[in-house]
């Protein structure tokens, strides 16, 4: 072999080796960043807590009690309130012949003319209670006698209302209702006679009506605490205010009319009406009527150990266990389960105690 061939062969060998080096240099190495990271283990602590299981039932947010206001039949309607307005003691409920017909608070309507010399009666007491509450009670004895002091207080009240100061009051001059009211609807029209059904009113307190299936009536007891889930998902507290005694059969869907009176409860089942009073009357904001969910407490456990439901492991031989993390090591601890509530489960067993760290399935 000639010297030229040997040199050429050497050059070729170097070129191949150089190419190998280039190829090796261009081959991407598998870095640690390209290896999928091992997801961290989710854990939770065994907690000692109170658990409460609940049953959800459809309800309707509205207002307490619906009452129809009937006119006395004298005069012409000259002013009517707006639905949604609130009328309190002494304020105008509607107007007749350009004079206000105010609201009085009491449990007995005005059923006769009241004036000096009228026989004693409980309706006089209702009038005097209202006069005193409105600030006209100086020298007034609140009893069942329509005295000269009563007449003077009536005149002062009439003066402030812009009415003729007669010192007497007739059945059509005011409307007596048990409490301040909210105007639910207006049936009458201006210019019509002030008689018949004029308005529908409710109380001003928010409530929820639930048509509770008879088979679930044990969930409700008067005074029991519940949680009301509003349409925006917020939970607000309430208490059971009343439980109906009449069973209703219907095929409705639990909706209401905005006055706290539901009109059905799905599937044609037999139901009883349960009224729930919101603890915070402002919690529902501006909502007048809305479908809600009521969470009735159906079971409670106090001071028990609990873990997230995702921490439970079903054992092949039966039963359950939790995986406890102790000093970086994991081991299974058999547990007995109790009440399930709000994503937690009651657990007990020889090897489980408060504060332990357990693995929770992701």
């Amino acid at each position: 072999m000639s010297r030229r061939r040997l040199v050429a062969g050497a050059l070729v060998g170097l070129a191949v080796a150089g190419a190998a080096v280039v190829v090796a240099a261009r081959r991407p190495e598998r870095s640690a960043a390209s290896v999928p990271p091992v997801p961290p283990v989710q854990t939770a602590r065994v907690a000692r807590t109170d658990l409460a299981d609940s049953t959800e039932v459809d309800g309707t947010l509205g207002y307490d009690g619906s009452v129809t206001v009937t006119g006395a039949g004298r005069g012409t309607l000259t002013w009517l309130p707006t639905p949604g307005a609130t009328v309190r003691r002494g304020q105008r409920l509607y107007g007749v012949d350009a004079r206000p017909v105010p609201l009085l608070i009491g449990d007995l309507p005005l059923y006769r003319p009241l004036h000096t010399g009228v026989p004693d009666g409980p309706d006089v007491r209702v009038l005097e209670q209202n006069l005193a509450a409105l600030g006209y009670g100086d020298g007034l004895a609140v009893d069942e006698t329509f005295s000269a002091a009563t007449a003077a207080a009536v005149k002062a009240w009439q003066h402030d209302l812009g009415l003729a100061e007669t010192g007497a009051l007739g059945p059509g001059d005011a409307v007596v209702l048990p409490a301040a009211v909210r105007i639910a609807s207006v049936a009458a029209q201006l210019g019509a006679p002030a008689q018949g059904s004029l308005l529908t009113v409710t109380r001003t307190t928010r409530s929820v009506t639930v048509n509770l299936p008879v088979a679930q009536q044990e969930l409700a007891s008067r005074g029991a605490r519940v949680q009301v889930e509003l349409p925006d998902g917020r939970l607000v507290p309430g208490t059971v205010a009343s439980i109906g005694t009449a069973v209703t059969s219907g095929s409705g869907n639990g909706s209401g009319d905005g006055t706290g009176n539901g009109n059905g409860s799905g599937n044609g089942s037999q139901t009883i009406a349960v009224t729930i009073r919101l603890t915070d009357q402002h919690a529902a904001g501006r909502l007048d009527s809305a479908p809600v969910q009521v969470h009735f407490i159906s079971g409670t456990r106090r001071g028990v150990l609990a873990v997230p439901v995702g921490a439970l492991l079903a054992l092949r031989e039966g039963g359950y266990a939790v995986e406890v993390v102790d000093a970086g090591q994991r081991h299974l601890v058999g547990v007995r389960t109790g009440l399930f509530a709000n994503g937690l489960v009651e657990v007990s067993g020889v090897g489980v105690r408060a504060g332990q760290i357990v693995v929770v399935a992701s």
Side-chain angles (χ1 to χ4, degrees):
M1 180 179 298
S2 68
R3 180 181 178 84
R4 180 178 297 176
R5 287 184 179 178
L6 287 173
V7 172
L11 291 175
V12 171
L14 289 173
V16 172
V21 171
V22 171
V23 171
R26 291 181 178 178
R27 181 181 300 160
E29 295 183 1
R30 190 171 185 180
S31 65
S34 65
V35 178
V38 177
V41 175
Q42 295 187 15
T43 61
R45 289 189 179 275
V46 179
R48 188 170 297 280
T49 186
D50 298 337
L51 295 181
D53 191 18
S54 63
T55 299
E56 297 180 3
V57 182
D58 292 339
T60 301
L61 174 68
Y63 288 84
D64 281 354
S66 178
V67 176
T68 299
V69 176
T70 303
R74 297 183 300 169
T76 301
L77 291 170
T78 53
W79 185 87
L80 290 167
T82 303
T86 297
V87 182
R88 306 189 186 280
R89 187 198 309 264
Q91 294 180 339
R92 177 175 56 171
L93 187 59
Y94 59 92
V96 177
D97 294 343
R99 61 177 177 79
V101 177
L103 172 67
L104 299 181
I105 305 301
D107 55 5
L108 185 67
L110 297 176
Y111 61 89
R112 59 175 179 162
L114 296 178
H115 51 78
T116 303
V118 71
D120 292 356
D123 52 345
V124 177
R125 179 182 293 275
V126 169
L127 173 61
E128 292 176 337
Q129 287 172 337
N130 280 274
L131 290 170
L134 292 169
Y136 301 95
D138 290 345
L140 179 65
V142 177
D143 52 23
E144 297 190 355
T145 300
F146 198 106
S147 63
T150 307
V154 172
K155 287 182 180 181
W157 180 43
Q158 290 171 330
H159 173 79
D160 290 345
L161 290 175
L163 301 174
E165 299 173 31
T166 63
L169 198 69
D173 295 333
V175 175
V176 180
L177 292 172
V181 296
R182 173 185 171 276
I183 307 300
S185 63
V186 178
Q189 295 182 344
L190 293 178
Q195 60 184 357
S197 299
L198 306 182
L199 315 166
T200 299
V201 300
T202 68
R203 291 180 180 265
T204 59
T205 49
R206 301 288 184 92
S207 65
V208 172
T209 297
V210 172
N211 290 326
L212 189 65
V214 172
Q216 295 179 306
Q217 60 181 313
E218 72 280 355
L219 293 175
S221 59
R222 187 177 177 85
R225 296 180 180 181
V226 300
Q227 292 286 325
V228 177
E229 184 176 349
L230 300 176
D232 61 4
R234 287 184 297 127
L235 290 175
V236 298
T239 56
V240 176
S242 65
I243 303 172
T245 56
V247 175
T248 302
S249 296
S251 57
N253 57 8
S255 61
D257 59 6
T259 63
N261 298 315
N263 63 6
S265 174
N267 303 326
S269 59
Q270 292 186 320
T271 63
I272 55 175
V274 176
T275 301
I276 294 158
R277 188 76 48 79
L278 295 184
T279 302
D280 180 2
Q281 286 292 304
H282 301 290
R286 296 181 178 273
L287 291 175
D288 285 337
S289 177
V292 296
Q293 289 277 318
V294 178
H295 300 253
F296 288 92
I297 304 301
S298 54
T300 58
R301 296 283 290 166
R302 298 188 180 280
V304 298
L305 297 178
V307 298
V309 174
L312 283 183
L313 296 173
L315 300 177
R316 179 178 302 176
E317 60 272 21
Y320 294 94
V322 292
E323 189 174 8
V324 175
V325 180
D326 188 8
Q329 302 296 318
R330 302 188 202 174
H331 62 278
L332 295 182
V333 174
V335 295
R336 294 183 298 275
T337 61
L339 183 66
F340 287 75
N342 301 320
L344 299 176
V345 56
E346 175 190 355
V347 293
S348 60
V350 176
V352 61
R353 63 182 183 276
Q356 284 179 316
I357 299 176
V358 296
V359 176
V360 180
S362 57

